[in-house]
Amino acid sequence: MGDLLINLLASVIAGTAVWLAGFLLRRRKLNQARAFFGLTAGARCLLVVSRHASSPREFSVHRRDVAALVELATIARECGAHADRVGENQPTGEIGRLTEFCVGGPGGASPRSVTHVRAILRGVTYETFDEEKRRRSFTVGGTEYVYSPETSYVLLARFWGRSVDARCSSSAA
């Protein structure tokens, strides 16, 4: 009977240790995501999206942009933040006060993205080569990234309120 109690106690201790380790790893991952995206529990963030170019409706959004919005809203919810969808021309307050995700490129599709790139990300240039083929690219630190049917890129910038400290990076999606 004594051996049974010792084995039972050892199982409880091992199970508790495994549960605690998993809990701490999940908590660490959540804190890293919150720090990376600038989201905290209960905070608001903005999902800015352009309207669909060929639609006359103000709130019409392209299906690819909807997929991006769903992913961003999921990230915000996992971080405990509340996501609000706003249109490209709706006033959102001072830049840098809330975490803001702009979906859509600055090539005429998203005026808010154009504003961010021109005003804050001065090391980034965006060019449209050919309107018919819609060949576009952007340059970061002398490296050019050209859009193609096989490759798309994400421009990720993080900056804060009054003293603008911007960091740029790009990666293939």
Side-chain angles (χ1 to χ4, degrees):
M1 184 74 166
D3 289 343
L4 179 64
L5 288 176
I6 290 174
N7 287 338
L8 187 59
L9 183 62
S11 296
V12 168
I13 291 171
T16 302
V18 168
W19 176 84
L20 184 61
F23 174 79
L24 292 174
L25 285 173
R26 284 188 305 274
R27 184 62 136 179
R28 180 176 177 216
K29 184 178 176 182
L30 174 64
N31 288 337
Q32 287 175 338
R34 284 179 173 172
F36 181 78
F37 290 111
L39 298 171
T40 58
R44 281 185 55 225
C45 71
L46 301 176
L47 303 177
V48 183
V49 65
S50 301
R51 74 173 189 83
H52 194 286
S54 63
S55 175
R57 296 184 183 159
E58 181 181 352
F59 294 109
S60 178
V61 177
H62 192 277
R63 63 183 167 86
R64 290 185 185 139
D65 292 344
V66 170
L69 288 174
V70 169
E71 291 291 330
L72 292 170
T74 302
I75 289 170
R77 186 184 44 164
E78 288 173 354
C79 291
H82 304 286
D84 296 325
R85 187 237 180 239
V86 294
E88 60 192 14
N89 295 324
Q90 291 176 319
T92 57
E94 187 176 331
I95 293 175
R97 293 278 179 207
L98 296 174
T99 298
E100 187 174 315
F101 298 99
C102 292
V103 177
S110 174
R112 191 114 176 120
S113 294
V114 170
T115 301
H116 289 320
V117 170
R118 287 187 184 153
I120 297 164
L121 305 175
R122 297 189 182 167
V124 177
T125 59
Y126 183 86
E127 299 177 35
T128 302
F129 290 82
D130 187 354
E131 285 296 327
E132 290 177 16
K133 295 180 182 177
R134 298 183 61 95
R135 183 171 176 218
R136 301 173 301 204
S137 74
F138 65 92
T139 305
V140 179
T143 304
E144 183 179 40
Y145 299 91
V146 179
Y147 293 101
S148 69
E150 299 85 30
T151 310
S152 61
Y153 295 97
V154 173
L155 181 64
L156 176 65
R158 183 174 178 183
F159 55 91
W160 294 266
R162 294 178 190 252
S163 62
V164 178
D165 175 23
R167 293 180 215 150
C168 300
S169 65
S170 63
S171 61

